[in-house]
Amino acid sequence: MAALFGASEEGNLQGIKDLVKMAQNIDLLAINKHGETALHNAASGGHTEIIKYLQSKGADVNVVDKNLDGLIYWAARQGQQEVIKYLKEENVSLDTQNKSGECALHVAARYGHSAVIAYLVSEGAELNLQDTLGDTALHSAAWHGFNQIVASLSSGGADLNKQNKDGETSLHCAAARGYLDSVKTLLDSGAPINQLDKIGCTALHLACNRRHSNIAMLLIHAGCNIDTVEKESGDSPLNCAVKEGMTAVVQTMCGYGCQPNVVNKVGLSPLHIASKDGQSEIVRALLLRGANPDLYYKDGVTAEIMALAQGFTDISDILSKVKGDRGEVYVSQLVPLPQALSRIKLKVFGASGVGKTTFIESMKCGMFSGFFRRSSTRLSSQSATSMTKGRDGKLSRQYSLPIPLTYSVSNPTYTKGINVQQTSISGIGELSIWDFSGYEPYYMLYDHFMGDTNCINIVMFNLCDDVAEQVAQVIFWLGFIKGRISPQLPLGKFNKKNDV
């Protein structure tokens, strides 16, 4: 038997004939313990001539093994199209199913034999036969990512709505496994994009759970429902994407108007998850979409507390600012600009003599080397003395505090009016720097050059002053700047500006 089976598998027809001559009682129809015959081996090897010879000796081409696998199944598994053609001519059924419910289409799809699939489709094979798991040949092709076979079966009329015992369609299979081309083919063929599986997952859920960002993006743009909630976990696709840190996918979902406050069955919202995991960009996207920072997890824990517990202070700072009446205004500032700023406007305020000009010159040397740059501005000993003498021997910066107007100048090198410079700083880019003089007579002119909120305002003070005077200077200049920014209506509580 071993010699017969070996010759059949190798295609050695002459060897089989020699065996028949040498052993008159050889059984060409012999069956091994698995129910296999020499015909099975010949079909697997693609040896049509041996099948014909054995058939002439009384072999039945409809024979099956113990798993009920017929010759067509064996041929399809190895991609032997010519054998299948011959068996079809001998009226062998193309749709015979084995104990697992698989037919020739199933096994050819699983092993990627696209030519065999094309032939079976053209010969009218039943495309929607399901195995014991409920899978069709299309499920198998999608699961293994054989896009050419997916296309053949789809165009041949395979049922794109067919679900297996887990409720999965072929689109679920392709999305879960990350085969982008197969997902595109199925969508183009009309596969149902919002079909739910047994636990309520769409293909988008599965793509997000397995971090297939490109497929998730494709499904979102194709119109997949982004708010469907899974039955078991209570997660929406947004929750899944946040868990996996898929920033671009989350931003896209937010742009498409997803529900940002879906709380899953363990009590976590997308904002809770992102805050706990330190996903700052996702937190920003969720807040822009309208995520509620005051939603509680267990025991009254908010997203802010979760971020603090994990050491993500940048996120907790953001979340602390979006609470209450000012929250909406702060969130609006998180909106990214459509284009990068071509030039940053930097406005520097402070009393005369605190070192604004030196600070600007140091910045122009670079962010690092500026720390080691010595001041190029030297006050005379007389000027230095006059600067240090004031009430109770303390430095008196009368030019920054609201006292009677004076035109005396203690710093002879003070800035005249507003000094505007254009410069480029390594690591930052183009800057437009506005140095506002601390000399009091110029203050009345500053109204025309302030009020622009699209800039950075810096208030400087001298660390050599006592703390009370430092605080007084900072409070004065902050009030000075705030008073020149036009309010945005409506005003807030107690007529406070909402935008400052």
Side-chain angles (χ1 to χ4, degrees):
M1 183 188 296
L4 174 62
F5 277 36
S8 299
E9 186 175 3
E10 294 171 0
N12 187 356
L13 179 58
Q14 187 58 47
I16 295 175
K17 290 179 178 180
D18 291 342
L19 281 173
V20 172
K21 289 179 182 179
M22 288 186 294
Q24 296 296 327
N25 60 345
I26 187 170
D27 185 4
L28 296 179
L29 308 180
I31 300 174
N32 67 13
K33 63 180 181 180
H34 302 296
E36 300 163 355
T37 67
L39 279 173
H40 286 95
N41 287 282
S44 177
H47 308 304
T48 307
E49 69 282 1
I50 291 181
I51 294 175
K52 292 178 180 179
Y53 175 77
L54 293 172
Q55 192 178 10
S56 69
K57 298 297 183 180
D60 183 3
V61 289
N62 288 299
V63 67
V64 295
D65 60 20
K66 286 187 176 180
N67 194 45
L68 302 185
D69 294 334
L71 301 188
I72 284 187
Y73 186 93
W74 278 62
R77 183 166 55 196
Q78 300 299 327
Q80 305 297 352
Q81 183 178 341
E82 293 303 316
V83 171
I84 297 174
K85 285 182 179 180
Y86 173 73
L87 293 171
K88 172 69 170 54
E89 293 171 358
E90 294 297 305
N91 297 318
V92 178
S93 175
L94 299 175
D95 303 321
T96 301
Q97 292 176 273
N98 61 16
K99 286 184 177 181
S100 300
E102 289 189 331
C103 63
L105 267 176
H106 283 96
V107 70
R110 184 165 70 249
Y111 286 100
H113 299 307
S114 56
V116 171
I117 292 292
Y119 172 75
L120 292 172
V121 170
S122 68
E123 291 298 319
E126 174 54 55
L127 305 184
N128 298 311
L129 290 176
Q130 293 177 279
D131 62 18
T132 54
L133 298 176
D135 288 326
T136 65
L138 185 57
H139 281 92
S140 185
W143 181 258
H144 291 93
F146 296 124
N147 186 50
Q148 188 175 349
I149 295 177
V150 170
S152 295
L153 294 170
S154 299
S155 60
D159 187 356
L160 303 177
N161 295 281
K162 209 76 170 178
Q163 294 175 272
N164 61 20
K165 289 190 175 181
D166 291 324
E168 298 171 335
T169 64
S170 51
L171 183 61
H172 283 95
C173 295
R177 296 278 285 177
Y179 295 119
L180 180 62
D181 290 340
S182 295
V183 171
K184 287 181 179 178
T185 298
L186 290 166
L187 290 176
D188 291 342
S189 300
I193 196 170
N194 291 314
Q195 183 69 54
L196 304 180
D197 67 10
K198 196 172 182 179
I199 61 173
C201 284
T202 63
L204 183 56
H205 278 97
L206 300 182
C208 291
N209 279 332
R210 291 162 176 79
R211 294 183 58 85
H212 300 313
S213 297
N214 51 355
I215 292 177
M217 289 291 201
L218 176 62
L219 292 169
I220 293 169
H221 289 297
C224 187
N225 190 332
I226 54 180
D227 294 320
T228 302
V229 176
E230 181 192 329
K231 296 176 185 177
E232 290 188 353
S233 66
D235 285 325
S236 68
L238 178 64
N239 295 60
C240 299
V242 172
K243 284 180 183 179
E244 298 301 328
M246 302 166 71
T247 304
V249 173
V250 172
Q251 291 171 337
T252 303
M253 288 183 182
C254 290
Y256 271 74
C258 65
Q259 295 294 329
N261 295 312
V262 175
V263 177
N264 63 20
K265 290 193 175 180
V266 297
L268 292 172
S269 70
L271 190 60
H272 286 123
I273 299 168
S275 301
K276 178 172 63 72
D277 293 341
Q279 302 286 350
S280 58
E281 288 305 314
I282 290 180
V283 168
R284 292 174 186 272
L286 292 171
L287 290 173
L288 284 171
R289 179 64 198 117
N292 184 358
D294 297 319
L295 284 178
Y296 292 118
Y297 181 51
K298 298 175 182 178
D299 302 323
V301 176
T302 62
E304 179 187 356
I305 296 174
M306 284 185 166
L308 276 174
Q310 299 298 322
F312 301 120
T313 55
D314 56 334
I315 294 177
S316 64
D317 289 343
I318 293 173
L319 293 172
S320 67
K321 293 175 182 177
V322 297
K323 294 180 178 178
D325 298 335
R326 295 166 60 91
E328 185 177 346
V329 176
Y330 185 81
V331 168
S332 67
Q333 298 175 19
L334 299 176
V335 179
L337 297 175
Q339 297 179 353
L341 289 174
S342 58
R343 178 174 293 155
I344 300 173
K345 188 181 293 185
L346 182 68
K347 295 182 179 180
V348 185
F349 299 91
S352 180
V354 297
K356 299 189 299 297
T357 302
T358 301
F359 166 72
I360 292 170
E361 292 301 319
S362 297
M363 284 190 66
K364 289 161 67 176
C365 294
M367 292 297 291
F368 181 78
S369 58
F371 282 109
F372 301 95
R373 181 180 179 277
R374 301 181 66 180
S375 172
S376 60
T377 304
R378 299 290 183 181
L379 295 177
S380 66
S381 59
Q382 181 179 359
S383 299
T385 302
S386 64
M387 286 292 290
T388 56
K389 291 181 179 181
R391 295 185 301 272
D392 301 324
K394 298 178 182 178
L395 179 64
S396 178
R397 300 202 181 279
Q398 70 270 33
Y399 313 110
S400 299
L401 303 177
I403 62 174
L405 183 65
T406 175
Y407 290 93
S408 62
V409 182
S410 298
N411 178 13
T413 60
Y414 72 94
T415 299
K416 311 300 190 296
I418 304 173
N419 182 18
V420 181
Q421 306 177 50
Q422 313 296 333
T423 186
S424 178
I425 297 179
S426 175
I428 297 178
E430 294 292 325
L431 281 180
S432 174
I433 304 178
W434 296 48
D435 180 3
F436 286 78
S437 174
Y439 183 37
E440 188 173 338
Y442 291 122
Y443 293 1
M444 64 186 72
L445 304 176
Y446 293 168
D447 291 8
H448 303 287
F449 304 97
M450 298 174 63
D452 180 10
T453 57
N454 296 318
C455 65
I456 300 173
N457 294 314
I458 295 180
V459 174
M460 296 190 63
F461 55 90
N462 195 326
L463 291 175
C464 294
D465 293 346
D466 59 55
V467 175
E469 190 154 357
Q470 292 177 32
V471 172
Q473 290 180 53
V474 172
I475 292 174
F476 168 73
W477 281 105
L478 289 178
F480 187 88
I481 296 169
K482 181 177 179 180
R484 284 153 181 80
I485 297 177
S486 300
Q488 292 184 357
L489 299 177
L491 294 175
K493 192 175 182 180
F494 305 119
N495 289 328
K496 289 184 178 180
K497 298 178 182 179
N498 281 322
D499 57 336
V500 180

